[in-house]
């Protein structure tokens, strides 16, 4: 079977990593084109990946390049528009999370996806493809912890990235859409239920600069679900020990804990400072297996003519709940979800 011809769009912090995976590690993929609005990033793609078909304009890439699929790792604000354009060109689409930064544009993506049922549409909720998170889902489905009713999940980044995050807010949608969409997606996936209400609190405890962009550096959200299940979802941009994403699921017969200590590996250091483990530093170090697995699954879905486990509906729901959390935080009150 011919390799799937892919054009990557966005070669920033994460795009470069995805591009390297698609070029060297994903079987059945041929990375044949790249697009970025940053010239140095296109130079990087030519020099490091040997890609010749380089574009600074997305529409031009869609017109001219010989592609089966696009892989969108652009700023969050353009995911929905770029997804729609590619679907309407007859291409398969992988888009990084969030699927869109407002609900109507996500619903539009959903409609266009439904109009193109033979094309694969994939939202990059990478944690579903991390071996530990996937194993936890398998255990829940096997009934190992009985009926799950409470998820506690957090996304925590190193303080050293905070300055970058402040600049990122206008295109990322803020801490709830940028960080917590992952936790929202996991809570829905594990609990098998939809969010009914959110009550978000937070503040700029370390970096006041987040106030000026109506965002926060530390947040916590009490989330209730249609059937009375619950989630406590939190985020922080001020950790000093490492990237500390972890999740706990409580059920009627047991508890699953995923990655509670963000250990770099299994080595423990016993010395004058005590007993310690070194920590993973960033999302890529923590989730590098998941990023590779999701890209491989995208290509497999195309080659096997099937849809992935994560749908455009999941993309809309995560954005809808992330938006409600942002509203709740900014208004200082509980927000109900209506749909
Ligand atoms: P970045 O700012 O480093 O890179 C953005 C890239 O998008 C740049 O290459 C820029 O040239 C390109 N771009 C922006 N607008 C464009 C346009 N109209 N046409 C063509 N190219 C355009 O951002 P970063 O950190 O790489 O994030 C990219 C996306 O990946 C974001 O949506 C972010 O939410 C997502 N992400 C997902 C993570 C995960 O855990 N799944 C982790 C980090 C980022």
């Amino acid at each position: 079977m011919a390799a799937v011809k892919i054009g990557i769009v966005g070669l920033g912090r994460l795009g470069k990593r995805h591009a390297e995976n698609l070029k060297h590690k994903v079987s059945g993929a041929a990375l044949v084109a790249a697009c970025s609005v940053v010239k140095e990033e296109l130079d990087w793609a030519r020099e490091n990946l040997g890609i010749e078909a380089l574009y600074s304009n997305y529409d031009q890439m869609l017109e001219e390049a010989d592609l089966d699929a696009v892989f969108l790792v652009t700023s969050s604000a353009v995911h929905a528009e770029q997804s729609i354009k590619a679907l309407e060109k007859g291409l398969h689409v992988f888009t990084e999370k969030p699927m869109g930064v407002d609900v109507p544009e996500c619903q539009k993506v959903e409609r266009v996806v439904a109009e193109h049922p033979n094309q694969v549409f994939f939202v990059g909720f990478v944690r579903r493809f991390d071996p530990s998170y996937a194993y936890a889902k398998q255990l829940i489905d096997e009934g190992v912890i009985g009926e799950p009713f409470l998820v506690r999940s957090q996304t925590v980044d190193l303080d050293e990235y905070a300055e970058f995050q402040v600049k990122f807010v206008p295109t990322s949608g803020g801490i709830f859409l940028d960080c917590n969409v992952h936790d929202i997606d996991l809570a829905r996936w594990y609990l098998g239920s939809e969010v009914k209400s959110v009550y978000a609190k937070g503040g700029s405890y370390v970096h006041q600069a987040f106030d000026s962009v109506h965002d926060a550096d530390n947040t916590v959200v009490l989330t209730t679900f249609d059937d009375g299940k619950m989630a406590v979802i939190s985020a922080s941009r001020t950790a000093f020990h490492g990237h500390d994403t972890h999740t706990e699921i409580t059920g009627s017969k047991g508890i699953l804990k995923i990655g509670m200590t963000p250990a770099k590996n299994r080595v423990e250091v016993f010395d004058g400072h005590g007993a310690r483990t070194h920590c993973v530093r960033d999302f890529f170090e923590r989730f590098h297996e998941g990023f590779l697995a999701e890209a491989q699954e995208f290509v497999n879905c195309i080659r096997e003519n099937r849809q992935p486990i994560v749908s455009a509906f999941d993309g809309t729901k995560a954005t809808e709940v992330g938006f409600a959390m942002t509203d709740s935080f900014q208004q200082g009150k509980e927000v109900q979800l209506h749909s």
Side-chain angles (χ1 to χ4, degrees):
M1 190 183 284
V4 177
K5 289 172 282 182
I6 299 175
I8 192 161
V9 191
L11 292 166
R13 216 167 42 128
L14 181 57
K16 285 193 179 74
R17 305 301 189 105
H18 275 308
E20 286 169 333
N21 278 346
L22 291 168
K23 178 73 185 178
H24 299 300
K25 297 187 179 163
V26 176
S27 68
L31 186 61
V32 297
C35 174
S36 167
V37 292
V38 180
K39 184 187 171 302
E40 292 72 30
E41 293 178 358
L42 294 177
D43 294 342
W44 175 88
R46 181 187 296 107
E47 285 157 22
N48 293 279
L49 303 177
I51 300 175
E52 292 299 332
L54 300 170
Y55 299 89
S56 57
N57 182 294
Y58 179 66
D59 295 344
Q60 191 186 352
M61 185 182 93
L62 291 187
E63 277 306 315
E64 294 178 7
D66 178 19
L67 298 176
D68 300 312
V70 292
F71 208 96
L72 304 175
V73 203
T74 42
S75 312
S76 302
V78 297
H79 291 172
E81 173 198 333
Q82 292 184 334
S83 294
I84 290 169
K85 283 183 176 175
L87 286 163
E88 289 178 341
K89 276 270 168 205
L91 302 178
H92 305 285
V93 173
F94 175 101
T95 175
E96 257 307 333
K97 51 56 55 174
M99 189 172 88
V101 290
D102 76 43
V103 177
E105 73 172 10
C106 287
Q107 290 168 335
K108 187 164 179 206
V109 174
E110 264 191 82
R111 284 197 298 276
V112 178
V113 168
E115 286 162 14
H116 298 83
N118 297 324
Q119 289 160 236
V120 172
F121 182 76
F122 200 115
V123 187
F125 283 124
V126 62
R127 290 185 202 171
R128 292 199 192 199
F129 299 90
D130 169 78
S132 302
Y133 278 93
Y135 184 55
K137 172 67 171 156
Q138 183 192 321
L139 295 180
I140 290 169
D141 290 347
E142 288 169 2
V144 170
I145 60 164
E147 186 62 25
F149 60 84
L150 169 64
V151 167
R152 293 196 301 150
S153 191
Q154 69 172 40
T155 300
V156 169
D157 281 319
L158 275 178
D159 185 81
E160 69 181 66
Y161 303 127
E163 199 181 322
F164 165 82
Q165 298 288 4
V166 170
K167 290 190 201 133
F168 205 53
V169 168
T171 54
S172 74
I175 192 165
F176 302 104
L177 276 173
D178 189 34
C179 300
N180 286 143
V181 280
H182 288 296
D183 306 287
I184 296 163
D185 181 61
L186 288 176
R188 290 182 58 249
W189 194 44
Y190 288 144
L191 295 177
S193 181
E194 295 302 343
V195 174
K196 185 176 166 195
S197 71
V198 295
Y199 195 3
K201 294 296 227 180
S204 302
Y205 298 93
V206 182
H207 300 283
Q208 274 69 45
F210 283 106
D211 279 340
S212 61
V213 286
H214 309 292
D215 205 14
D217 57 23
N218 281 268
T219 56
V220 60
V221 189
L222 179 60
T223 307
T224 62
F225 287 74
D226 283 337
D227 46 8
K229 294 177 177 179
M230 304 169 283
V232 178
I233 289 176
S234 57
S236 171
R237 288 162 157 160
T238 61
F240 282 86
H241 59 294
H243 175 83
D244 191 355
T245 281
H246 63 239
T247 302
E248 181 185 287
I249 308 127
T250 303
S252 53
K253 291 188 185 155
I255 297 175
L256 300 174
K257 297 186 184 219
I258 308 162
M260 302 308 275
T261 300
K264 188 180 186 67
N265 51 40
R266 294 183 185 186
V267 176
E268 291 173 276
V269 182
F270 295 79
D271 62 7
H273 300 290
R276 303 172 281 132
T277 56
H278 291 149
C279 295
V280 291
R281 286 190 62 72
D282 57 30
F283 63 86
F284 197 79
E285 192 178 357
R286 170 63 184 86
F287 288 108
H288 65 97
E289 292 163 296
F291 284 113
L292 179 57
E294 68 177 357
Q296 185 64 66
E297 177 63 2
F298 175 57
V299 169
N300 291 350
C301 284
I302 295 169
R303 286 160 70 94
E304 294 161 17
N305 196 20
R306 59 182 172 82
Q307 292 294 336
I309 57 165
V310 53
S311 67
F313 178 74
D314 295 320
T316 301
K317 280 291 167 191
T319 293
E320 183 180 37
V321 177
F323 228 77
M325 289 177 174
T326 309
D327 264 2
S328 170
F329 165 65
Q330 289 175 352
Q331 294 176 31
K333 60 179 191 190
E334 187 176 31
V335 167
Q336 305 288 328
L337 284 96
H338 300 293
S339 47

